Amino acid sequence: MKFINLLLLAVVFVSCNSGSHKINTITADSDNGGLTLPEDFCALVVADDLGPARHIQVNDQGDIYISLNRLHKGGGIACLRDTTNDGRADLIQYFGRHHGTGIAFWNNHLYFGSDTLVVRYPMVYGQLLPHDGEEIVVTGLPINNQHAAKPLTFDQAGNLYVTVGAPSNACMEQTRTKGSPGMDPCPLLERHGGIWQFRADQLKQDQVEDGLRYATGIRHAVAVDWNGAENTLYALQHGRDQLHQFFPELYDEKQSAELPAEELLLVEEGSDFGWPYCYYDPITQQKVLGPEYGGDGTEVGVCAAKDDPILAFPAHVAPNDLLFYTGDMFPERYQNGAFIAFHGSWNRAPEVQEGYYVVFVPFEGKIPSGDWEIFADGFAGVSPVNSPADAQYRPCGLAQGPDGSLFVTDDVKGRVWRIMYNPAN
């Protein structure tokens, strides 16, 4: 028995060897860092207790950069390096004076989206920390008391896309008040509730004067990514809350927990996805008029002219990052498909909470070619999850390593996992 156990350990040790870049040998954690993964995949914990880790980027040398939702140890960006080639970060430094969610590389710069502006820092090859020469790229972004995160992504033409969430549930005249009607037209849509386009190489751009409102009618999209293979922008919308609480005569508690869907959006210039006037009903598979605007749960009205999602997910699971996979480590079926991190929400009570997993969506061209499937689970550490406070970890950010590994962040305790493919011999 002892010989068999040693043999199994050796198989894990060898089969999780990435065999490329600077990594020599990587051994998965015996419990895969607490995760449940598909057959032939394994995982390890790269780092722990980093602070409230949001989105993540990994450069060509394998260094890791993570945005923090609040300053931790004097910085808003955690910078990680593995100097011993075992896959675990042993050098951790903090940088930057802003906190936020958006973080991405473009043209030898690290871009950071705080809640009120986008800044960038020059990167120096071989150095872990960015150069402390902060440049303001976008300013004038509104200060929100909710949905304040400013995720970002780039296209191949040098355009920068920034989410500006709406500080509202459904643009009600009296915020989150039972029976309050919605404002029509909704004034928040002038500067909120959409995705704005800027030039990546231009400094001190103002949202109003220089930004293009690329798409609208999106309550909040924390998960955004540019699919380079299809030259297309994608996002996931956080759907509205509290249908039963505000309109109990139209929705019971179960309906409120299951409506509306979280939406995967194919975003084109001029797209309008209907918020706050509409929401997507995954049962009838159509957008319907919100109760704040005279809807009864079935009436379509103006929503017939709004853009539909390309895929619907369960209500209130909070999609927080999106990654189109282009690596060569995972099997072919994962190529150009989408990984999505679901953070888990709070508005499913009295139903059991959902989310707290990473899913995979296969794609063919610009459209999903099959249904979504749970790829990595076990983040919550408990089952069932009756309240978000019960969850030990909540997946938030996704990144692809230079060898094709998938990195996942957690913003409860600041843990980072690395998921690798372990083909059976």
Side-chain angles (χ1 to χ4, degrees):
M1 181 63 69
K2 182 177 180 181
F3 173 77
I4 293 175
N5 288 339
L6 288 174
L7 179 60
L8 289 174
L9 179 61
V11 169
V12 172
F13 182 83
V14 174
S15 61
C16 283
N17 175 7
S18 71
S20 63
H21 302 279
K22 71 175 185 179
I23 303 300
N24 295 320
T25 50
I26 299 175
T27 307
D29 293 339
S30 59
D31 65 346
N32 290 327
L35 302 185
T36 302
L37 300 167
E39 185 178 1
D40 292 337
F41 284 87
C42 56
L44 72 153
V45 174
V46 176
D48 244 329
D49 300 319
L50 296 174
R54 299 287 284 177
H55 286 179
I56 175 174
Q57 291 287 294
V58 183
N59 68 14
D60 292 341
Q61 293 75 54
D63 294 330
I64 300 169
Y65 298 84
I66 301 171
S67 60
L68 303 178
N69 208 29
R70 62 178 179 273
L71 296 181
H72 184 70
K73 296 185 178 180
I77 303 173
C79 309
L80 287 63
R81 174 172 286 178
D82 167 22
T83 68
T84 60
N85 297 345
D86 65 353
R88 293 161 175 82
D90 53 279
L91 177 59
I92 301 174
Q93 298 179 325
Y94 291 83
F95 177 86
R97 60 192 181 93
H98 307 286
H99 58 83
T101 294
I103 191 166
F105 291 111
W106 188 80
N107 197 23
N108 297 319
H109 284 77
L110 180 64
Y111 285 69
F112 186 85
S114 79
D115 292 349
T116 58
L117 76 166
V118 176
V119 298
R120 72 178 188 181
Y121 306 95
M123 297 297 297
V124 180
Y125 184 85
Q127 293 185 13
L128 176 60
L129 292 182
H131 186 274
D132 194 14
E134 178 181 293
E135 296 176 313
I136 296 176
V137 181
V138 178
T139 187
L141 298 174
I143 302 173
N144 293 3
N145 58 4
Q146 56 182 310
H147 307 148
K150 301 298 186 295
L152 51 86
T153 189
F154 299 90
D155 65 20
Q156 296 101 316
N159 293 307
L160 165 67
Y161 300 87
V162 181
T163 288
V164 182
S168 172
N169 183 39
C171 203
M172 302 168 89
E173 291 182 2
Q174 296 177 289
T175 300
R176 295 189 187 262
T177 300
K178 183 178 180 180
S180 176
M183 292 183 277
D184 191 6
C186 175
L188 293 176
L189 291 174
E190 290 299 314
R191 295 189 60 199
H192 305 79
I195 297 174
W196 268 254
Q197 182 192 73
F198 303 91
R199 287 296 304 170
D201 57 1
Q202 183 178 334
L203 300 180
K204 297 183 179 178
Q205 298 169 88
D206 180 81
Q207 182 194 12
V208 175
E209 295 179 2
D210 305 299
L212 168 67
R213 187 170 59 180
Y214 190 79
T216 191
I218 306 172
R219 180 172 174 261
H220 194 33
V222 185
V224 293
D225 194 27
W226 184 268
N227 184 338
E230 300 299 329
N231 202 33
T232 303
L233 179 65
Y234 293 82
L236 285 110
Q237 174 163 237
H238 283 218
R240 55 87 43 85
D241 301 317
Q242 299 171 295
L243 285 166
H244 171 71
Q245 183 175 343
F246 300 144
F247 297 92
E249 69 279 10
L250 297 175
Y251 304 91
D252 60 30
E253 288 184 326
K254 185 172 181 60
Q255 288 175 307
S256 190
E258 296 178 347
L259 295 172
E262 310 281 45
E263 304 173 49
L264 175 57
L265 311 174
L266 189 162
V267 185
E268 299 175 325
E269 184 175 347
S271 294
D272 183 351
F273 296 99
W275 182 90
Y277 313 109
C278 315
Y279 67 83
Y280 189 79
D281 185 330
I283 300 171
T284 61
Q285 297 183 5
Q286 63 180 350
K287 288 206 165 170
V288 297
L289 199 62
E292 292 84 357
Y293 297 92
D296 60 3
T298 61
E299 183 179 353
V300 174
V302 299
C303 304
K306 304 302 182 182
D307 294 311
D308 283 329
I310 57 174
L311 192 63
F313 293 92
H316 316 302
V317 290
N320 266 18
D321 208 2
L322 168 67
L323 171 74
F324 284 93
Y325 186 78
T326 60
D328 58 8
M329 174 185 281
F330 291 6
E332 185 177 355
R333 70 178 297 263
Y334 292 97
Q335 277 291 319
N336 300 316
F339 288 100
I340 303 167
F342 286 93
H343 187 247
S345 187
W346 57 274
N347 193 228
R348 292 184 61 88
E351 301 295 313
V352 172
Q353 299 301 310
E354 279 282 345
Y356 315 99
Y357 41 56
V358 174
V359 311
F360 174 73
V361 179
F363 265 71
E364 183 173 341
K366 294 185 177 183
I367 304 297
S369 59
D371 204 358
W372 61 278
E373 61 194 58
I374 294 178
F375 175 77
D377 204 353
F379 295 93
V382 296
S383 183
V385 181
N386 294 310
S387 165
D390 297 339
Q392 296 177 15
Y393 303 98
R394 303 176 72 180
C396 187
L398 300 170
Q400 180 181 301
D403 67 345
S405 298
L406 180 69
F407 291 80
V408 185
T409 63
D410 144 73
D411 66 358
V412 176
K413 299 179 181 178
R415 173 172 284 193
V416 182
W417 291 264
R418 180 176 183 169
I419 300 174
M420 301 166 292
Y421 184 54
N422 169 19
N425 293 330

